[in-house]
Amino acid sequence: MMMGVELAFPKVVGKQVYGSLYECDEDVLKDTKRLEQIIKEAADIGNMNILDIKSWKIGEGVSVVAIILESHITIHTWPEYRFATVDVYSCGPHTSPLNAFRYIVEKLGAKRYTINEADRSSEF
Amino acid sequence: MMMGVELAFPKVVGKQVYGSLYECDEDVLKDTKRLEQIIKEAADIGNMNILDIKSWKIGEGVSVVAIILESHITIHTWPEYRFATVDVYSCGPHTSPLNAFRYIVEKLGAKRYTINEADRSSEF
């Protein structure tokens, strides 16, 4: 019999990368079509599978949600403050929410941003 | 001239309450219509204004997103594990993401859950 070590992995492996983006490109923050394109590209870069993208104009700003097979990506923008918040929440070790987040930061032209990570894995 | 203290509040006040729900009611986790109703009621309880609710069946599970004027609420479910994750992210001091979160926990019949808070306010 082989000696072995039993490794336990959670059944649902999830990670969320989120943050605040400052001094962004105001024109991009207003541009629904451009934001939808950016969120699509970010999902590709993070190796996620997009099911749907929806957006809503809220005043000057836009809220964009990508529902991905692995959970979701959201961007909320406040062009009047050149401010946006981004959440990339994805399940599965094949995905890279960090790469997707960084891509969005770059494309929104943020001069400064905060970044946080939350473990969204199950305990079992 | 009045003596005064200058108080500075962030321009965008946001708070996110999120967590993992365990040992939920499996039937509720599969039921798209029921989940849409729960997310709607949760938004009302949290004093948020719903713009739209969308849902996607993913295997046995469901992803539901409510876009609210104040940001978003999401529920992702894994009925096979009686597991769900919930995010309630809302802007504005008039909202209570905590109350909305607790309502969802109750309606999903979670026997156990984790709860986390993230400050999503702007620094300016």
Side-chain angles (χ1 to χ4, degrees), chain B:
Chain B
M1 197 179 81
M2 294 281 288
M3 293 291 285
V5 176
E6 191 179 345
L7 295 174
F9 294 102
K11 288 205 171 67
V12 180
V13 176
K15 192 157 80 167
Q16 186 158 9
V17 177
Y18 63 94
S20 297
L21 281 52
Y22 297 93
E23 298 172 59
C24 298
D25 182 326
E26 192 181 329
D27 291 334
V28 175
L29 298 194
K30 289 178 181 174
D31 187 340
T32 303
K33 288 289 161 214
R34 183 84 192 93
L35 291 168
E36 288 182 352
Q37 184 62 27
I38 290 168
I39 216 168
K40 183 187 171 306
E41 290 161 359
D44 288 344
I45 281 167
N47 202 27
M48 302 157 191
N49 298 287
I50 290 184
L51 299 179
D52 208 350
I53 296 175
K54 297 281 175 193
S55 51
W56 295 263
K57 195 86 184 168
I58 300 177
E60 281 293 287
V62 184
S63 287
V64 189
V65 177
I67 282 290
I68 54 174
L69 190 60
E70 298 86 358
S71 287
H72 68 258
I73 306 176
T74 63
I75 304 175
H76 299 286
T77 76
W78 288 261
E80 64 273 38
Y81 304 130
R82 299 176 59 198
F83 177 65
T85 66
V86 174
D87 288 74
V88 184
Y89 168 20
S90 67
C91 293
H94 64 287
T95 64
S96 172
L98 183 59
N99 287 355
F101 181 88
R102 285 192 171 140
Y103 183 80
I104 295 170
V105 167
E106 182 197 326
K107 290 297 167 181
L108 267 50
K111 300 268 192 302
R112 196 164 57 82
Y113 63 96
T114 62
I115 183 165
N116 301 84
E117 277 193 24
D119 182 7
R120 304 300 300 264
S121 302
S122 64
E123 287 168 3
F124 50 78

Side-chain angles (χ1 to χ4, degrees), chain A residues 82-93:
Chain A
R82 299 177 60 199
F83 177 65
T85 66
V86 174
D87 288 74
V88 184
Y89 168 20
S90 67
C91 293

Side-chain angles (χ1 to χ4, degrees), chain A residues 21-107:
Chain A
L21 281 52
Y22 297 93
E23 298 172 59
C24 298
D25 182 326
E26 192 181 329
D27 291 334
V28 176
L29 298 194
K30 289 177 180 174
D31 187 340
T32 303
K33 288 288 161 215
R34 183 85 192 92
L35 292 168
E36 288 182 352
Q37 184 62 27
I38 290 168
I39 217 168
K40 184 187 171 304
E41 290 161 358
D44 288 344
I45 281 167
N47 202 28
M48 302 157 191
N49 298 286
I50 290 184
L51 299 179
D52 209 350
I53 296 175
K54 297 281 175 193
S55 51
W56 295 263
K57 194 87 184 167
I58 300 177
E60 281 292 287
V62 184
S63 286
V64 189
V65 177
I67 282 290
I68 54 174
L69 191 59
E70 297 86 357
S71 287
H72 68 257
I73 306 176
T74 63
I75 304 175
H76 299 286
T77 76
W78 288 260
E80 63 274 37
Y81 305 130
R82 299 177 60 199
F83 177 65
T85 66
V86 174
D87 288 74
V88 184
Y89 168 20
S90 67
C91 293
H94 64 288
T95 64
S96 172
L98 183 59
N99 287 355
F101 181 88
R102 285 193 171 139
Y103 183 80
I104 295 170
V105 167
E106 182 197 326
K107 291 296 167 182

